[in-house]
Amino acid sequence: MKCTYACGSQEHLLARRTFLGGVVAGVGAVVGGLGALATPSAARQLARDGKRVLVINMHGGLSQLESWDPKPGAPTGGPFRAIPTSVPGIHISELLPKTAQVMHHLALVRGVNTSEDDHGKGIYLMLHGRRQTPAADYPEIGAVVAKALEPLGGDALPGHIKITSGGGGRGNDAAYLGPRYASVRLGDGKPPSHSSRPDGMSDDDEARRQQFRRLVNEHFLSRRRTAMTDLYTYSYEQALQLMEQRQIFDVSLEPQKDQERYGDHAFGRHCLLARRLLEHGITFVQVSHSNYDTHNENFRFHYEQMGEFDGPFATLISDLADRGMLDSTLVVVLSEFGRTPNINQYYGRDHWSRAWSVCLAGAKIARGAVLGKTNENGTAVVDHQVDHAQLFHTYLQAVGIDSFATIDVAGRPVPLADPAAAPIKELLA
Amino acid sequence: MRGPAWLSPGTPHSGTWPTAVRRISQLAAAWLSAFTAAVFCQEAPPLRERIDQLVESAYVGQPARMVTDAEFLRRVSLDLTGRIPTAEEARAFLADTSPDKRQQLVDRLLASPAFVRHMTDTFDVMWMERRPDKYVSSSDWRNYLFESFAANKPLNVLIREILSSDGTDPALRPAAKFFLDREADANLLTRDVGRMFFGVDLQCAQCHDHPLIESYLQADYYGIFAFLNRTVLFVDPKDNKKAYLGEKAEGDAKYKSAFTQEEGSTLPRLPFGEAIDDPILAKEAVYIVKPEKNVRPVARYSRRLRLAEEATSGNNLAFNRNLANRLWAMVFGRGLVEPVDLHHRDNPPVHAQLLDLLAEDLVAHQFDLRYFLRELVLSRTYQRSSEPPQQWVEYSRQAEAVLVSLEQETQSLQQAHESIVAELEKLRKERSSLLEAIEPLRQKWREAEQAWADADWAVQQAQQAVQSAQQALASQQQTHATLAEALASLQKAVALLPEAELKAAVEKLQASQKAAEEQLQKLEKELAEKQQTLQTATEKRAALQPAREQALAELQKAQGPLGELETQLRAVQRSEIQAGDRLLTAKRRLKDAQWLASQRGGLEAYAAGQDRCRQLENQLARLDQERARLQQQLTATAASPNATSAADAAPEELQKQLEKLDAETKQYSEQLAEARQAAQQQRQALDELLAQLDERWVNQLALAPLKPLSPEQLAWSTLQATGVLANTLPGVEDEVKKKSPELAEQPEKLRVAVERALEAKFAGVIREFVSLFGSGAGQPPQLFFATVDQALYLSNSGNVTSWINPSGNNLAARLVSIENPEQIAEELYLSVLTRFPDPQERQWVVATLSQAGEQKKQVIRDMIWALLSSAEFRFCP
């Protein structure tokens, strides 16, 4: 019995896939179609604009006093000076001389108060825009962005990438959006797992087995075809496309000169890889720089760590700007929290979430701006206090996603961002 | 006499349990058993027949065909054992000619250790949702499940153990994983207990009444919460990996709406149930072990045990339905209520009567898992094909034809429901006014009861004191007597032998005896005092007795018809729920039929377009035949120009005819191209429509949905298809026999041990599949997704590559050794897809192999891979 409505052409597959949405519940019901986030035409518009997000996670808790909000001369200020930047009137720590030169691209949020001094809970709320509760899990910013900004018709390349110093594999960070939007981890910047052919398999072998596969599938799909079979069949085509484009994960293909500019260390290479991925249209990339948890010897550690961070970060920002990508790319430099103004007996600073800073750049974020203020000793926010939920709204709005939209989760509309909070208007140009 | 199980052992419960309440629950039980008897004691046909009857009477149009033997074998093997059969098993089953071979197969599968393993996988994932281990190891938990399923432990007993184990009893410690690994978090547990055991996800009702689901109230959420919020996690101070559940005797479920700011509080209450009062215990007696630092608190009355009892007693409608629905979903691929944890008025079951039937039958058969699954998979409904029937237009016409009767049915159901609702409201009003009227009396009774319980506790304490004073006195008397005896003997000795040392000894003994006597007197006095206390306490208790009795009598008198009213109310409530769901099912069906009828124009136009294409194709075929005939004639004429008979036309004539034919062909071809284009356009417009049509067929249970394999099913089936499993089996069997030689004589136990050894052997592979194909921890496991990393793994990983290359006696090795390409095709298809190849597929394999030459090995590898990567393999037919 021939089912005449099955056609199997690629265009048809895509068209059908689109109306059926991305993730399909085991029953064939559609969970979280793109329509939940934006009208189809708006989605197409977003895709065309090529909006992207880069998050740099300063792992362990960056000291705001040795970076974005220095307090030279204050009892809590530590030994480093503040230096002027490319924006008159804005000063940052002298540990960031190159970053100071790109300040006109950046926005500093100096009034962050997240009231959470635990590493795990701190990074959770910064990446999820919500406090962690046992009874509900939410997707990370990367998954939300990958879903909301997914080009219509899908993409072979993963939309949510984390460059890690550890292993590869898939992250468990997409919650109800489903594994399709979970991060693909590039362990130490290496390409995704299993993305090259088994040893001894030639081009011809590959072509032959794919031809077999398509033949077998056509035969079956002519009798029974559903959204799920389409998604499954399509995933093999995506895999082939990814294998063909595998070189975009290979940072060694970047010009030698750029590799030198970014520096011969993991963070530099990861930043260059991030640039490469964003240039190739990857929607979300997260890079980490470790480790800022400086309970001991805060100043020596920050001197070294900031030294390593400053060059690649400033280079990346100017490259994005020079290549015209900064207008469409949001850059966020965040941490799980800041560090105590009080200097402990080991010359260290401890966890401090009451008054710290986040640095933003690109997309709709205001340029060369500072929002919020801490008091003289940096112990409290005195102006424009914001929290993780407001920041999360702001990230989404900065790349054109309606942060008040809801997503349909098995019949329940779940707000993308904490509905009790709102974006920080002052930051959005 | 033993107290109810939710009272911890040692409870002086006599008198603390209000007779009124006891009477009501007795009545309810009597009513329920009468109800059950009415439904089941008549000679009912087997469940499977009743399922089919209900389902088939509701079909609109023709259902999908029945599955073939091959499809049935693959489907039921996957559903019951979690893996596909071997080629050998498939051959044997297909060749079997006995008429009841499907039934035999099902019985064989249900008795296999693979069934037990698959149930272990399924329920583990259902209840733990792949959460990482916290306090109870996954292997302990899975062993516990495995043994439970092997023993066919009734599911309600299993769930009762899971809900009630506190982790202290080593035998039941694994059952406590559900609570312990959720760190006894009351909110998380409220959500998961609601979802997994009652089919309601109340999460959105935690902070306010559900904004979208009218029937999910904040009070429902806190009703379950109140059973659970007193349970606490107690971590062993000496070993932070060991945790137990403790329970406090206080802690109320109070809430405030984040929307309306309204506040409320609730007693424990199950979905569809009534609030459950705590028993009245003496204030001093509420704890068996009082909460203290580093001490596990144990309350005398456990609300959590009460939950376990109430839920699993067979009387809770929501529990029974949820379980029946989840078992149905396990084999049918989707629940009658779907999603399985969102049962509410806006998401009614696709067939309400069927759900009620299943739930009642499950209870009537003591929650017997094997019985229930057996009935489900032997029904005709289960054996529907997943290939959609093609009679769309017919279907649409029939939908139109039944509209009127559906409307009538809906109307009469609506009326029935309305009258039940009216009755319900009347009863509710009666009851609440009665309750209001007796509230002061109830309060008075509770106070009297509380006072009596406190006095009773005092009597018990005094009794214990008297007892210990008596014991102390008795032992002192013993001492005294012994001393007296010794003194008498010694005095005799002194009389015989008056030595100074002996005299001194007598004096010493005398002194001791005096002291003993004093002590005796003191103890006697103490005993008298304690007896006095007991006397006073007993009198005090006795004095309270009349007030207590009177309060109870007054209450009972005032309650009058309350017990009966409540029984009636419960029955009506149940009818209301059932009638309401039936109405909603009917409405849904009516809406479907209306939609379908409204699509008739489009469907007919498409069918007409299809007909036109077919006609034109026939015309063209006819022309082709004609042309072939003419050409043959032409050739024949050309070959023997002299033998022209009168009947034959001249070559010129033939040429002319051919030209005419070509013109005609051109014309038809153009028309056909146009018609095809039109059909194509129509088809694209119809694409969504037809997908929706499939959905409706599936909802009608007239078409089986394609079920994606779970990660475990996919892993086991891949190992089976590639022959890795068969290849490993002999070695594993030898290892098992070597380790436990006694099993060689016990084939049943050996089979179980081998299954478990295989599971251990492939644990790493299964983990890999789970990490790729499984949902994240704590996410609903039924979510389907297809990601690039899955395809990359199946295409390029070392594991899969090694399985599809020849090794030992695996599939690739077997195929390489076969000479005949036809046989290769058969073995390949039977092994991977559990069916013989059709002629086209046969031809395809033969043709490919004939061109392979030196590359036979590679071609076979790639054919195995292609079949493994096909959608047909990924989904259950």
Side-chain angles (χ1 to χ4, degrees), chain B residues 628-640:
Chain B
R629 196 182 58 80
L630 286 175
Q631 255 156 2
Q632 212 176 355
Q633 271 189 21
L634 206 59
T635 323
T637 319
S640 52

PDB file of all heavy atoms in Angstrom, chain B residues 628-640:
ATOM      1  N   ALA B 628       3.936  -0.241 -28.760  1.00  0.00           N
ATOM      2  CA  ALA B 628       4.787  -1.431 -28.802  1.00  0.00           C
ATOM      3  C   ALA B 628       4.256  -2.409 -29.864  1.00  0.00           C
ATOM      4  O   ALA B 628       5.026  -2.979 -30.643  1.00  0.00           O
ATOM      5  CB  ALA B 628       4.823  -2.088 -27.439  1.00  0.00           C
ATOM      6  N   ARG B 629       2.940  -2.541 -29.880  1.00  0.00           N
ATOM      7  CA  ARG B 629       2.337  -3.459 -30.838  1.00  0.00           C
ATOM      8  C   ARG B 629       2.624  -3.004 -32.266  1.00  0.00           C
ATOM      9  O   ARG B 629       3.055  -3.770 -33.116  1.00  0.00           O
ATOM     10  CB  ARG B 629       0.826  -3.530 -30.594  1.00  0.00           C
ATOM     11  CG  ARG B 629       0.120  -4.714 -31.248  1.00  0.00           C
ATOM     12  CD  ARG B 629      -1.385  -4.679 -30.996  1.00  0.00           C
ATOM     13  NE  ARG B 629      -2.023  -3.442 -31.482  1.00  0.00           N
ATOM     14  CZ  ARG B 629      -2.336  -3.230 -32.755  1.00  0.00           C
ATOM     15  NH1 ARG B 629      -2.072  -4.138 -33.683  1.00  0.00           N
ATOM     16  NH2 ARG B 629      -2.893  -2.080 -33.124  1.00  0.00           N
ATOM     17  N   LEU B 630       2.398  -1.702 -32.495  1.00  0.00           N
ATOM     18  CA  LEU B 630       2.616  -1.160 -33.834  1.00  0.00           C
ATOM     19  C   LEU B 630       4.065  -1.318 -34.260  1.00  0.00           C
ATOM     20  O   LEU B 630       4.382  -1.706 -35.382  1.00  0.00           O
ATOM     21  CB  LEU B 630       2.231   0.321 -33.877  1.00  0.00           C
ATOM     22  CG  LEU B 630       0.719   0.612 -33.866  1.00  0.00           C
ATOM     23  CD1 LEU B 630       0.465   2.111 -33.775  1.00  0.00           C
ATOM     24  CD2 LEU B 630       0.066   0.057 -35.121  1.00  0.00           C
ATOM     25  N   GLN B 631       4.945  -1.029 -33.310  1.00  0.00           N
ATOM     26  CA  GLN B 631       6.356  -1.114 -33.641  1.00  0.00           C
ATOM     27  C   GLN B 631       6.757  -2.550 -33.996  1.00  0.00           C
ATOM     28  O   GLN B 631       7.513  -2.782 -34.928  1.00  0.00           O
ATOM     29  CB  GLN B 631       7.212  -0.599 -32.490  1.00  0.00           C
ATOM     30  CG  GLN B 631       7.776   0.776 -32.818  1.00  0.00           C
ATOM     31  CD  GLN B 631       8.125   1.562 -31.586  1.00  0.00           C
ATOM     32  OE1 GLN B 631       7.978   1.073 -30.479  1.00  0.00           O
ATOM     33  NE2 GLN B 631       8.577   2.782 -31.801  1.00  0.00           N
ATOM     34  N   GLN B 632       6.149  -3.455 -33.257  1.00  0.00           N
ATOM     35  CA  GLN B 632       6.419  -4.870 -33.531  1.00  0.00           C
ATOM     36  C   GLN B 632       5.976  -5.209 -34.953  1.00  0.00           C
ATOM     37  O   GLN B 632       6.712  -5.846 -35.714  1.00  0.00           O
ATOM     38  CB  GLN B 632       5.648  -5.717 -32.528  1.00  0.00           C
ATOM     39  CG  GLN B 632       6.365  -6.999 -32.183  1.00  0.00           C
ATOM     40  CD  GLN B 632       5.580  -7.728 -31.094  1.00  0.00           C
ATOM     41  OE1 GLN B 632       4.588  -7.214 -30.580  1.00  0.00           O
ATOM     42  NE2 GLN B 632       6.022  -8.913 -30.759  1.00  0.00           N
ATOM     43  N   GLN B 633       4.781  -4.746 -35.273  1.00  0.00           N
ATOM     44  CA  GLN B 633       4.244  -4.984 -36.614  1.00  0.00           C
ATOM     45  C   GLN B 633       5.168  -4.410 -37.665  1.00  0.00           C
ATOM     46  O   GLN B 633       5.503  -5.042 -38.664  1.00  0.00           O
ATOM     47  CB  GLN B 633       2.881  -4.326 -36.763  1.00  0.00           C
ATOM     48  CG  GLN B 633       1.746  -5.237 -36.331  1.00  0.00           C
ATOM     49  CD  GLN B 633       0.396  -4.636 -36.683  1.00  0.00           C
ATOM     50  OE1 GLN B 633       0.299  -3.771 -37.548  1.00  0.00           O
ATOM     51  NE2 GLN B 633      -0.639  -5.115 -36.030  1.00  0.00           N
ATOM     52  N   LEU B 634       5.587  -3.167 -37.356  1.00  0.00           N
ATOM     53  CA  LEU B 634       6.442  -2.457 -38.292  1.00  0.00           C
ATOM     54  C   LEU B 634       7.730  -3.243 -38.528  1.00  0.00           C
ATOM     55  O   LEU B 634       8.174  -3.431 -39.664  1.00  0.00           O
ATOM     56  CB  LEU B 634       6.764  -1.084 -37.710  1.00  0.00           C
ATOM     57  CG  LEU B 634       7.090   0.032 -38.707  1.00  0.00           C
ATOM     58  CD1 LEU B 634       5.914   0.236 -39.657  1.00  0.00           C
ATOM     59  CD2 LEU B 634       7.397   1.310 -37.975  1.00  0.00           C
ATOM     60  N   THR B 635       8.293  -3.722 -37.458  1.00  0.00           N
ATOM     61  CA  THR B 635       9.532  -4.501 -37.551  1.00  0.00           C
ATOM     62  C   THR B 635       9.273  -5.774 -38.379  1.00  0.00           C
ATOM     63  O   THR B 635      10.060  -6.130 -39.248  1.00  0.00           O
ATOM     64  CB  THR B 635      10.010  -4.922 -36.163  1.00  0.00           C
ATOM     65  OG1 THR B 635       9.742  -3.856 -35.270  1.00  0.00           O
ATOM     66  CG2 THR B 635      11.494  -5.237 -36.158  1.00  0.00           C
ATOM     67  N   ALA B 636       8.140  -6.409 -38.076  1.00  0.00           N
ATOM     68  CA  ALA B 636       7.817  -7.655 -38.763  1.00  0.00           C
ATOM     69  C   ALA B 636       7.653  -7.390 -40.267  1.00  0.00           C
ATOM     70  O   ALA B 636       8.155  -8.144 -41.111  1.00  0.00           O
ATOM     71  CB  ALA B 636       6.549  -8.254 -38.188  1.00  0.00           C
ATOM     72  N   THR B 637       6.963  -6.295 -40.585  1.00  0.00           N
ATOM     73  CA  THR B 637       6.724  -5.947 -41.983  1.00  0.00           C
ATOM     74  C   THR B 637       8.052  -5.676 -42.688  1.00  0.00           C
ATOM     75  O   THR B 637       8.296  -6.107 -43.816  1.00  0.00           O
ATOM     76  CB  THR B 637       5.824  -4.688 -42.071  1.00  0.00           C
ATOM     77  OG1 THR B 637       4.809  -4.784 -41.094  1.00  0.00           O
ATOM     78  CG2 THR B 637       5.233  -4.555 -43.457  1.00  0.00           C
ATOM     79  N   ALA B 638       8.881  -4.947 -41.957  1.00  0.00           N
ATOM     80  CA  ALA B 638      10.173  -4.600 -42.564  1.00  0.00           C
ATOM     81  C   ALA B 638      11.002  -5.856 -42.818  1.00  0.00           C
ATOM     82  O   ALA B 638      11.737  -5.961 -43.806  1.00  0.00           O
ATOM     83  CB  ALA B 638      10.920  -3.632 -41.651  1.00  0.00           C
ATOM     84  N   ALA B 639      10.887  -6.832 -41.920  1.00  0.00           N
ATOM     85  CA  ALA B 639      11.703  -8.042 -42.037  1.00  0.00           C
ATOM     86  C   ALA B 639      11.276  -8.912 -43.240  1.00  0.00           C
ATOM     87  O   ALA B 639      12.101  -9.494 -43.929  1.00  0.00           O
ATOM     88  CB  ALA B 639      11.615  -8.844 -40.732  1.00  0.00           C
ATOM     89  N   SER B 640       9.960  -8.978 -43.475  1.00  0.00           N
ATOM     90  CA  SER B 640       9.504  -9.821 -44.594  1.00  0.00           C
ATOM     91  C   SER B 640       8.500  -9.057 -45.460  1.00  0.00           C
ATOM     92  O   SER B 640       7.299  -9.260 -45.346  1.00  0.00           O
ATOM     93  CB  SER B 640       8.877 -11.108 -44.058  1.00  0.00           C
ATOM     94  OG  SER B 640       7.905 -10.766 -43.089  1.00  0.00           O
TER      95      SER B 640
END
